[in-house]
Amino acid sequence: MRILVVEDEAALADALARGLRKAAHAVDVAPTLAGARTKLALEEYDAMVLDLGLPDGSGLTLARELREAGSRMSILVLTARDTIPDRVRGLDHGADDYLVKPFALEELLARLRALERRAPELRPTELVVADLRIDPAARNARRGGREIPLTTTEYALLEFLARNAGTVLGRAQISAHVWDENYDPLSNLIDVYVARLRKKVDLPGLTPLLHTVRGAGYTLDPQRDTA
Ligand code: CA
């Protein structure tokens, strides 16, 4: 997932970004509401980890704005306050879940996984493309029953391609969901990763799933002819 962390405590924001990246997410950080609004205008996020006490206002304002604009992004609110009125107010304003500081990173990851599962039409528990099966909770992929050894980024790329199986994805779309804002659009990183992934997923003798569409991008599609 591509996740926006809105948190003004630098040490906590850093720890969250590191932990989330380790769990194969692409992460951007904003320390203020204004910074978050700028990033949200530029990028598409799947989920947001939102602190309530920010230097330029309450995270709840942002959650409400997003819901009013029709956003269905998962929003996990972080708060130092654990009182019932706060909790109710947060959920009224569009937050999906709450986490009271201090919390363990494992707890945050578990909550995010639960939010992923809560939107089954967007995030099925298992992704199946022909004989390729991906388990987002366990972050593993198997083909013909055999586990495919993948690095964190390779896994994230494969999961994104599988979620959009049959659709041709451009490099900008891929980088927006798999890499963070430090991705250099002029680099050939995506091509390098796709090539590595192809070697691991499309072993000799298997139906090729991963295709390059000249001038357009890449697609994971068992029906497509190899060109
Ligand atoms: Ca804060």
Side-chain angles (χ1 to χ4, degrees):
M1 284 199 287
R2 177 83 181 257
I3 301 175
L4 179 61
V5 172
V6 188
E7 169 62 67
D8 59 320
E9 278 171 58
L12 178 57
D14 276 359
L16 285 176
R18 267 201 314 273
L20 289 166
R21 286 185 186 124
K22 232 172 143 182
H25 298 296
V27 184
D28 295 332
V29 175
T32 57
L33 287 178
R37 288 192 186 102
T38 304
K39 286 192 159 51
L40 288 161
L42 293 171
E43 306 285 353
E44 247 177 74
Y45 292 96
D46 305 298
M48 177 160 63
V49 175
L50 178 62
D51 183 31
L52 288 193
L54 293 162
D56 53 350
S58 166
L60 289 182
T61 313
L62 183 59
R64 199 183 52 227
E65 279 169 22
L66 286 168
R67 292 309 185 219
E68 280 171 3
S71 168
R72 302 187 55 203
M73 180 193 316
S74 299
I75 302 176
L76 176 61
V77 155
L78 303 181
T79 176
R81 299 164 278 189
D82 184 22
T83 65
I84 294 195
D86 268 347
R87 199 172 284 249
V88 170
R89 222 154 53 88
L91 297 174
D92 278 352
H93 282 68
D96 293 299
D97 200 0
Y98 245 85
L99 208 49
V100 177
K101 294 179 186 176
F103 54 86
L105 182 66
E106 271 317 308
E107 176 68 19
L108 178 98
L109 294 173
R111 299 288 185 97
L112 283 173
R113 280 196 297 272
L115 291 180
E116 275 186 86
R117 280 195 297 271
R118 223 184 271 176
E121 73 284 5
L122 294 175
R123 314 191 188 291
T125 40
E126 192 183 42
L127 296 161
V128 180
V129 182
D131 59 347
L132 172 70
R133 306 179 89 86
I134 297 174
D135 178 352
R139 304 214 164 268
N140 67 35
R142 321 176 75 81
R143 206 171 164 191
R146 243 203 334 219
E147 182 155 351
I148 306 168
L150 297 170
T151 64
T152 304
T153 304
E154 287 166 356
Y155 172 81
L157 175 59
L158 182 62
E159 187 191 304
F160 183 64
L161 288 164
R163 285 193 191 284
N164 297 284
T167 307
V168 178
L169 298 168
R171 285 175 182 76
Q173 256 175 306
I174 295 174
S175 68
H177 284 269
V178 179
W179 274 270
D180 62 26
E181 62 190 346
N182 298 315
Y183 179 79
D184 172 4
L186 298 177
S187 81
N188 67 344
L189 208 56
I190 290 177
D191 311 81
V192 170
Y193 271 93
V194 168
R196 278 190 214 163
L197 205 50
R198 184 177 279 137
K199 267 190 207 147
K200 293 183 174 183
V201 173
D202 292 338
L203 295 175
L206 297 177
T207 309
L209 298 179
L210 195 45
H211 302 278
T212 304
V213 183
R214 203 173 269 279
Y218 296 103
T219 183
L220 194 71
D221 188 350
Q223 317 294 355
R224 203 172 184 99
D225 288 335
T226 15

